[in-house]
Amino acid sequence: MFEKLYVFKGTIFIVTSNVSAIPKPKAITSSGYMILSEREDIVKRLPTEKDIRIVTPAQAQELFSTTSAVRLQGATFLCTDANQFIDHYYHFSAELLFGFWRTYTSLDPFISENGQTNLPSPRRLMFRHVKEEEWRDYANMNQWVLRGAFPGIGLEFAEDWNDRAEMGVPFVFDRVVLGDRAAAEPSEPFQASWRYASPAFDLPGSIHWWQPLRKSVLEFSGLSTNWISGKHSMVGAGTEKFVITYISRQDWGRRMLLPQHHEKLVDELYKLRDKFGYEVNVVSMQQLSRAEQIQLAGRTTIMMGVHGNGLTSLIWMRPKPESTVMEFFYPKGFAFDYEWTTRALGMKHYGFWGTRYVPFCSRVLNQLVINLCARSQGHSHNPKSHVDKTTRKASKEMRSP
């Protein structure tokens, strides 16, 4: 996060009297080249002086040939990623926005449980390397989430970045939260989870940091205020109705439960409903409207489903002691996506491989993965591939019921 960040002729300029205090450029941004695992691809991602420069005030004045710049007020979220992951509901909402907002809210450690914050909404979201037609996902969730979270936000894309560059005028941004997946990749938090937003959680902040954005999106989607931040009005004092949501992928044709296992699960869920009065929802997300998807997630106490994009809506669940995500994996497979996101929101996550399950406590799991990595022979140019392999080994050391 930067105060008074300059952009001139398409290049980012960090202007400071203490150049040595600034991290290396490769830890801030990249060239915008796609994230691939070959060594030559890694080299292509490294930023050059065309991408970013760190200069003193005197050097900036000489380079800009002026003592003034056009000011852009307020906060800006600046993404310098390639378009590789942007057009995906999970990567856009639960990584990019997740990381931007977690970083930004480190400025307000007193965000309340009902989402009150002193921080103004960001004025603009800028994509340096993503074109206007490249940011929407196939389910059209990205634009719904963004407009729900920040109704008045402005959007700029690669075409706009190039327009500003061709003007030959220096622009200075009051405050910029800069996100770059390739720059985050070498960090320890990223390597432990392969989650873009994870480095932001090293910053201080309120435990209710997500609540303002969650509240805005849920209100935009039409969910009752009682469900957003307090006990539902129909629930008696000291009790709260459990809402269990099973996100089915059975009509997707891939990565789904065996038909007999799906039917058995649904049958058992309905038995719980009949015995304890729980609300049970068995849904295919693509058959619901965007508002219905988010409203349902906002009311859900326990969400379950096979690993897939539908579980992204866990970010709209209300974190409370009972809030739980149950994720079904292909045998011997694992991915950190929804496990990490669940924990980042203070909720519980259980991973299942058939009859085996793991209640993921991050420190325990991550240390196990790190230990396994240390014992592994050889090296991989793809850290994600290496983590995937070691987590498969880790799963064998976990307990079964």
Side-chain angles (χ1 to χ4, degrees), residues 272-385:
L272 289 174
R273 176 198 62 188
D274 297 340
K275 183 176 181 179
F276 298 105
Y278 300 154
E279 177 184 335
V280 172
N281 303 284
V282 179
V283 298
S284 296
M285 284 301 208
Q286 69 272 18
Q287 295 179 3
L288 303 178
S289 70
R290 292 174 292 183
E292 289 170 337
Q293 291 182 45
I294 293 174
Q295 286 178 29
L296 178 58
R299 297 193 303 108
T300 294
T301 313
I302 299 174
M303 181 178 289
M304 63 181 67
V306 174
H307 174 82
N309 197 31
L311 289 176
T312 300
S313 287
L314 71 88
I315 62 178
W316 313 121
M317 294 171 64
R318 180 155 64 92
K320 52 185 179 179
E322 301 86 3
S323 299
T324 303
V325 174
M326 302 168 66
E327 185 174 5
F328 310 138
F329 292 102
Y330 187 84
K332 298 183 180 180
F334 177 73
F336 278 110
D337 304 37
Y338 306 105
E339 180 269 337
W340 181 87
T341 307
T342 302
R343 290 188 298 95
L345 291 170
M347 303 185 296
K348 293 185 287 291
H349 179 280
Y350 289 82
F352 287 81
W353 298 265
T355 58
R356 296 175 62 85
Y357 73 97
V358 180
F360 282 100
C361 297
S362 175
R363 293 180 183 177
V364 175
L365 176 66
N366 288 350
Q367 189 57 54
L368 178 57
V369 171
I370 291 168
N371 291 343
L372 286 167
C373 286
R375 296 202 302 266
S376 298
Q377 297 297 319
H379 301 279
S380 169
H381 297 322
N382 187 340
K384 182 178 188 296
S385 173

Side-chain angles (χ1 to χ4, degrees), residues 200-229:
F201 285 78
D202 283 347
L203 298 171
S206 167
I207 62 172
H208 306 299
W209 67 276
W210 183 242
Q211 185 63 7
L213 195 148
R214 173 182 174 270
K215 180 180 179 183
S216 293
V217 173
L218 288 173
E219 288 178 345
F220 179 78
S221 302
L223 185 62
S224 167
T225 302
N226 289 326
W227 280 106
I228 295 174
S229 57

Side-chain angles (χ1 to χ4, degrees), residues 22-52:
I22 305 299
K24 293 181 179 180
K26 67 179 182 180
I28 301 172
T29 189
S30 70
S31 67
Y33 189 79
M34 291 182 67
I35 295 180
L36 302 172
S37 59
E38 298 301 324
R39 288 192 181 276
E40 56 266 32
D41 297 315
I42 295 173
V43 172
K44 289 179 182 179
R45 292 202 301 269
L46 295 175
T48 67
E49 287 198 344
K50 182 180 178 180
D51 301 300
I52 184 171

